[in-house]
Short mmCIF file of all heavy atoms in Angstrom, two decimals:
data_model
loop_
_atom_site.label_atom_id
_atom_site.label_comp_id
_atom_site.label_asym_id
_atom_site.label_seq_id
_atom_site.Cartn_x
_atom_site.Cartn_y
_atom_site.Cartn_z
N LEU A 275 33.28 70.94 -53.77
CA LEU A 275 34.39 70.93 -54.72
C LEU A 275 34.81 72.36 -55.06
O LEU A 275 36.01 72.66 -55.14
CB LEU A 275 33.97 70.16 -55.98
CG LEU A 275 35.08 69.62 -56.86
CD1 LEU A 275 36.05 68.75 -56.08
CD2 LEU A 275 34.49 68.83 -58.02
N ASP A 276 33.84 73.25 -55.22
CA ASP A 276 34.15 74.65 -55.52
C ASP A 276 34.96 75.30 -54.40
O ASP A 276 35.90 76.06 -54.67
CB ASP A 276 32.86 75.45 -55.73
CG ASP A 276 32.14 75.09 -57.02
OD1 ASP A 276 32.78 74.53 -57.93
OD2 ASP A 276 30.93 75.38 -57.11
N GLN A 277 34.62 75.00 -53.16
CA GLN A 277 35.37 75.57 -52.03
C GLN A 277 36.81 75.07 -52.04
O GLN A 277 37.74 75.84 -51.78
CB GLN A 277 34.71 75.20 -50.71
CG GLN A 277 33.41 75.93 -50.45
CD GLN A 277 32.71 75.42 -49.20
OE1 GLN A 277 32.63 74.21 -48.97
NE2 GLN A 277 32.18 76.34 -48.41
N ILE A 278 37.00 73.79 -52.31
CA ILE A 278 38.36 73.22 -52.35
C ILE A 278 39.17 73.92 -53.43
O ILE A 278 40.32 74.32 -53.20
CB ILE A 278 38.31 71.69 -52.58
CG1 ILE A 278 37.66 71.00 -51.38
CG2 ILE A 278 39.70 71.13 -52.86
CD1 ILE A 278 37.31 69.55 -51.60
N GLU A 279 38.57 74.07 -54.61
CA GLU A 279 39.26 74.72 -55.72
C GLU A 279 39.62 76.17 -55.38
O GLU A 279 40.73 76.62 -55.64
CB GLU A 279 38.38 74.70 -56.98
CG GLU A 279 38.17 73.31 -57.52
CD GLU A 279 37.04 73.24 -58.56
OE1 GLU A 279 36.67 74.29 -59.14
OE2 GLU A 279 36.52 72.14 -58.77
N GLU A 280 38.68 76.87 -54.76
CA GLU A 280 38.90 78.28 -54.44
C GLU A 280 39.97 78.47 -53.36
O GLU A 280 40.89 79.27 -53.52
CB GLU A 280 37.58 78.91 -53.98
CG GLU A 280 37.69 80.39 -53.70
CD GLU A 280 36.37 80.98 -53.23
OE1 GLU A 280 35.31 80.54 -53.69
OE2 GLU A 280 36.43 81.91 -52.39
N VAL A 281 39.85 77.72 -52.28
CA VAL A 281 40.79 77.89 -51.16
C VAL A 281 42.21 77.47 -51.55
O VAL A 281 43.18 78.14 -51.22
CB VAL A 281 40.31 77.11 -49.91
CG1 VAL A 281 41.36 77.10 -48.83
CG2 VAL A 281 39.01 77.70 -49.39
N LEU A 282 42.33 76.35 -52.25
CA LEU A 282 43.65 75.87 -52.63
C LEU A 282 44.15 76.48 -53.93
O LEU A 282 45.29 76.23 -54.33
CB LEU A 282 43.63 74.34 -52.74
CG LEU A 282 43.43 73.58 -51.43
CD1 LEU A 282 43.32 72.08 -51.68
CD2 LEU A 282 44.56 73.87 -50.47
N ASP A 283 43.28 77.25 -54.61
CA ASP A 283 43.63 77.88 -55.88
C ASP A 283 44.12 76.84 -56.89
O ASP A 283 45.23 76.93 -57.42
CB ASP A 283 44.68 78.98 -55.66
CG ASP A 283 44.80 79.89 -56.87
OD1 ASP A 283 43.81 80.02 -57.63
OD2 ASP A 283 45.90 80.47 -57.08
N ILE A 284 43.26 75.83 -57.10
CA ILE A 284 43.59 74.74 -58.02
C ILE A 284 42.40 74.51 -58.96
O ILE A 284 41.30 75.01 -58.75
CB ILE A 284 43.92 73.43 -57.27
CG1 ILE A 284 42.75 73.00 -56.36
CG2 ILE A 284 45.21 73.59 -56.46
CD1 ILE A 284 42.97 71.67 -55.66
N THR A 285 42.66 73.71 -59.99
CA THR A 285 41.61 73.39 -60.97
C THR A 285 40.73 72.27 -60.45
O THR A 285 41.06 71.60 -59.46
CB THR A 285 42.23 72.95 -62.30
OG1 THR A 285 42.90 71.71 -62.10
CG2 THR A 285 43.18 74.00 -62.86
N GLU A 286 39.63 72.04 -61.16
CA GLU A 286 38.72 70.95 -60.80
C GLU A 286 39.43 69.60 -60.88
O GLU A 286 39.26 68.75 -60.00
CB GLU A 286 37.49 70.97 -61.71
CG GLU A 286 36.44 69.94 -61.33
CD GLU A 286 35.20 70.03 -62.20
OE1 GLU A 286 35.02 71.03 -62.92
OE2 GLU A 286 34.39 69.08 -62.13
N ASP A 287 40.23 69.40 -61.93
CA ASP A 287 40.97 68.14 -62.08
C ASP A 287 41.95 67.93 -60.93
O ASP A 287 42.07 66.82 -60.39
CB ASP A 287 41.72 68.10 -63.42
CG ASP A 287 40.79 67.94 -64.61
OD1 ASP A 287 39.63 67.50 -64.41
OD2 ASP A 287 41.21 68.27 -65.74
N GLU A 288 42.65 69.00 -60.54
CA GLU A 288 43.60 68.89 -59.42
C GLU A 288 42.87 68.56 -58.12
O GLU A 288 43.37 67.76 -57.32
CB GLU A 288 44.39 70.20 -59.26
CG GLU A 288 45.39 70.46 -60.36
CD GLU A 288 46.04 71.83 -60.21
OE1 GLU A 288 45.30 72.84 -60.17
OE2 GLU A 288 47.29 71.87 -60.14
N SER A 289 41.71 69.17 -57.91
CA SER A 289 40.97 68.89 -56.68
C SER A 289 40.49 67.43 -56.66
O SER A 289 40.53 66.78 -55.62
CB SER A 289 39.81 69.86 -56.49
OG SER A 289 38.87 69.73 -57.51
N HIS A 290 40.07 66.92 -57.81
CA HIS A 290 39.67 65.50 -57.89
C HIS A 290 40.86 64.59 -57.57
O HIS A 290 40.72 63.60 -56.85
CB HIS A 290 39.11 65.17 -59.27
CG HIS A 290 37.68 65.56 -59.46
ND1 HIS A 290 36.65 64.94 -58.81
CD2 HIS A 290 37.12 66.52 -60.24
CE1 HIS A 290 35.50 65.49 -59.17
NE2 HIS A 290 35.77 66.47 -60.04
N GLU A 291 42.02 64.94 -58.11
CA GLU A 291 43.24 64.14 -57.85
C GLU A 291 43.58 64.13 -56.37
O GLU A 291 43.89 63.08 -55.80
CB GLU A 291 44.43 64.71 -58.64
CG GLU A 291 44.51 64.26 -60.07
CD GLU A 291 45.74 64.84 -60.76
OE1 GLU A 291 46.82 64.94 -60.11
OE2 GLU A 291 45.62 65.19 -61.95
N LEU A 292 43.56 65.32 -55.74
CA LEU A 292 43.88 65.41 -54.31
C LEU A 292 42.89 64.61 -53.47
O LEU A 292 43.28 63.88 -52.57
CB LEU A 292 43.86 66.87 -53.85
CG LEU A 292 45.06 67.73 -54.18
CD1 LEU A 292 44.82 69.17 -53.74
CD2 LEU A 292 46.32 67.18 -53.53
N LEU A 293 41.61 64.77 -53.76
CA LEU A 293 40.58 64.04 -53.01
C LEU A 293 40.73 62.54 -53.17
O LEU A 293 40.65 61.78 -52.19
CB LEU A 293 39.18 64.47 -53.46
CG LEU A 293 38.68 65.78 -52.88
CD1 LEU A 293 37.48 66.28 -53.66
CD2 LEU A 293 38.33 65.62 -51.42
N THR A 294 40.98 62.09 -54.39
CA THR A 294 41.14 60.65 -54.65
C THR A 294 42.36 60.12 -53.92
O THR A 294 42.30 59.05 -53.29
CB THR A 294 41.26 60.39 -56.17
OG1 THR A 294 40.08 60.89 -56.81
CG2 THR A 294 41.42 58.91 -56.46
N SER A 295 43.45 60.85 -53.97
CA SER A 295 44.68 60.41 -53.30
C SER A 295 44.48 60.33 -51.78
O SER A 295 44.85 59.34 -51.14
CB SER A 295 45.81 61.38 -53.63
OG SER A 295 46.99 61.01 -52.95
N LEU A 296 43.87 61.36 -51.20
CA LEU A 296 43.63 61.37 -49.76
C LEU A 296 42.63 60.28 -49.38
O LEU A 296 42.82 59.59 -48.37
CB LEU A 296 43.11 62.75 -49.33
CG LEU A 296 43.01 63.02 -47.84
CD1 LEU A 296 44.34 62.82 -47.13
CD2 LEU A 296 42.51 64.45 -47.60
N LYS A 297 41.60 60.12 -50.18
CA LYS A 297 40.60 59.08 -49.92
C LYS A 297 41.25 57.70 -49.94
O LYS A 297 40.97 56.85 -49.09
CB LYS A 297 39.48 59.16 -50.95
CG LYS A 297 38.27 58.37 -50.61
CD LYS A 297 37.12 58.69 -51.56
CE LYS A 297 35.89 57.97 -51.08
NZ LYS A 297 34.69 58.34 -51.79
N ASN A 298 42.17 57.46 -50.88
CA ASN A 298 42.88 56.18 -50.96
C ASN A 298 43.78 55.96 -49.75
O ASN A 298 43.93 54.83 -49.28
CB ASN A 298 43.68 56.08 -52.26
CG ASN A 298 42.80 55.89 -53.47
OD1 ASN A 298 41.67 55.40 -53.37
ND2 ASN A 298 43.30 56.29 -54.64
N ASP A 299 44.39 57.03 -49.24
CA ASP A 299 45.21 56.92 -48.02
C ASP A 299 44.37 56.39 -46.86
O ASP A 299 44.83 55.59 -46.05
CB ASP A 299 45.80 58.28 -47.62
CG ASP A 299 46.87 58.77 -48.56
OD1 ASP A 299 47.33 57.99 -49.44
OD2 ASP A 299 47.25 59.96 -48.44
#
């Protein structure tokens, strides 16, 4: 999760949202 936040320059909440959305796809 830390790598996702760092590379995409996003918050923890945003990374959770992105992961959940992609996982649902």
Side-chain angles (χ1 to χ4, degrees):
L275 201 54
D276 290 340
Q277 288 174 317
I278 294 169
E279 293 167 20
E280 183 181 326
V281 171
L282 293 176
D283 195 26
I284 57 176
T285 66
E286 185 177 346
D287 289 341
E288 289 174 304
S289 63
H290 279 291
E291 277 181 38
L292 282 176
L293 281 165
T294 302
S295 178
L296 189 57
K297 193 170 186 172
N298 288 336
D299 290 349

